[in-house]
Amino acid sequence: MSQTSKRTAPRVGVVGLGAMGMGSALALHERGLTVTGCDVSPSAREAFVAKGGNSVASPAELADCEVVVLLVVNGEQVEQVLFGEHGLVGKLAAGSLVIQCATVAPSQARGLGERLAAEGLAMLDAPVSGGAAKAHSGDLSVMASGDAAAFDKAQPVLDAMAATVYRLGDSAGVGSSMKLVNQLLAGVHIATAAEAMALGIRMGLDPDTVYEVITHSAGNSWMFENRVPHILEGDYTPLSAVDIFVKDLNIVHQTGRELAMPTPVAASALQQFTAAKGAGFGREDDAAVIKVYQRLSGIALPEAANDADAGGDA
């Protein structure tokens, strides 16, 4: 991907230097944009500065940015970043653009778009998918909605962040609606992959063999293929945490209630993730939802190599 000229590109702020935010901030920086990262964590700010970027501790300090990308955890954080005591609103110049990438309820996204417009600010409702590695390589998938002017202003940023940008509509809420469909499927597929592996183990099948057969059979899914290796390696280092799907499937449930639309399969998956969180696995990788089945049926899960060498428990 070609570098973007600093002379023509907007000054960009990235709020949230977690796994996804750090990756996207680095992708933007490495492609020649002037980027300032923002995070409450000093270590996250220091890590971005060490890679050549600039950093600040407060969203209000991004007042000179023309485009600000929000890659925070949830809707509450979005609210604080925009309208809190040290928020962006009232600091950004009129005509600046907010690219809102966090997974939030479509109703919240619509409300944010209306409130920002009343302040003279534009918004692109632009949830992302792809994970930390694709964020850093600039290969995210972006599900975006907003008016043509917002897309035009966002173009240099989207070119650096994403391999694919879906233009889904001209108003906020459409992008978040599409992301919710994705998260429903992703959460259900992870919970189902965990249940399938637990059943196989309980029936005495070798876990590695289950993985080999299923990934070459009709029952495979992208999530099965991606998450089951975490189970096989006994490695629950959080690439995407259980807590994320407790949040996102709750948004699915909330949106279903708003629409009087039942989502029973998603509700069942939500219960499994909630059980995993309640058992203390909320900050572990989302594949740790299989540990609910371990607690219920006593199955022996694969151990990490160092745990096995030390004779530790799974």
Side-chain angles (χ1 to χ4, degrees):
M1 191 178 296
S2 61
Q3 289 213 343
T4 304
S5 167
K6 288 185 179 181
R7 183 176 61 83
T8 59
R11 295 182 298 277
V12 183
V14 176
V15 183
L17 296 175
M20 293 284 284
M22 181 66 78
S24 287
L26 290 172
L28 293 164
H29 172 69
E30 290 166 5
R31 285 154 181 78
L33 283 85
T34 300
V35 184
T36 301
C38 175
D39 202 286
V40 295
S41 166
S43 61
R45 299 196 302 270
E46 290 164 6
F48 186 54
V49 170
K51 297 288 188 178
N54 305 309
S55 75
V56 296
S58 163
E61 297 175 77
L62 299 173
D64 64 338
C65 292
E66 299 158 272
V67 178
V68 179
V69 183
L70 307 189
L71 281 157
V72 294
V73 171
N74 55 37
E76 291 77 13
Q77 290 187 4
V78 172
E79 180 72 20
Q80 284 302 307
V81 166
L82 292 176
F83 299 101
E85 182 180 357
H86 303 290
L88 291 165
V89 172
K91 306 297 190 300
L92 291 177
S96 297
L97 172 67
V98 174
I99 303 178
Q100 202 303 98
C101 299
T103 300
V104 302
S107 56
Q108 182 179 5
R110 288 190 292 271
L112 290 171
E114 293 168 359
R115 292 163 69 193
L116 289 174
E119 299 287 343
L121 301 174
M123 176 176 139
L124 204 63
D125 178 21
V128 298
S129 181
K134 287 190 175 182
H136 191 183
S137 64
D139 290 322
L140 291 174
S141 174
V142 180
M143 309 165 208
S145 62
D147 63 28
F151 273 104
D152 288 345
K153 194 173 187 69
Q155 197 64 55
V157 178
L158 297 177
D159 285 346
M161 287 177 58
T164 307
V165 178
Y166 294 99
R167 296 182 65 151
L168 301 170
D170 59 7
S171 60
V174 185
S176 287
S177 295
M178 186 62 72
K179 180 62 184 294
L180 213 56
V181 173
N182 182 79
Q183 294 308 93
L184 184 158
L185 288 166
V188 167
H189 288 174
I190 293 168
T192 303
E195 184 169 294
M197 287 301 299
L199 177 64
I201 292 169
R202 183 68 179 84
M203 293 189 298
L205 297 175
D206 173 67
D208 292 286
T209 302
V210 173
Y211 179 74
E212 173 67 19
V213 172
I214 295 303
T215 54
H216 292 86
S217 302
N220 192 31
S221 69
W222 190 92
M223 282 300 187
F224 185 96
E225 194 162 341
N226 183 266
R227 295 308 205 268
V228 171
H230 304 176
I231 297 169
L232 299 178
E233 295 159 10
D235 183 359
Y236 299 96
T237 303
L239 301 179
S240 172
V242 164
D243 281 343
I244 295 294
F245 279 98
V246 173
K247 171 184 74 75
D248 289 358
L249 290 174
N250 261 311
I251 297 174
V252 171
H253 179 66
Q254 169 195 331
T255 302
R257 289 182 63 187
E258 291 172 2
L259 299 172
M261 167 76 191
T263 53
V265 179
S268 180
L270 171 59
Q271 290 303 308
Q272 292 304 103
F273 283 107
T274 302
K277 177 182 177 68
F281 308 128
R283 303 186 74 172
E284 294 189 20
D285 188 81
D286 51 36
V289 71
I290 196 172
K291 294 183 180 181
V292 173
Y293 297 97
Q294 181 186 39
R295 291 284 182 92
L296 293 173
S297 63
I299 58 172
L301 295 177
E303 298 177 349
N306 57 347
D307 290 343
D309 292 344
D313 294 332

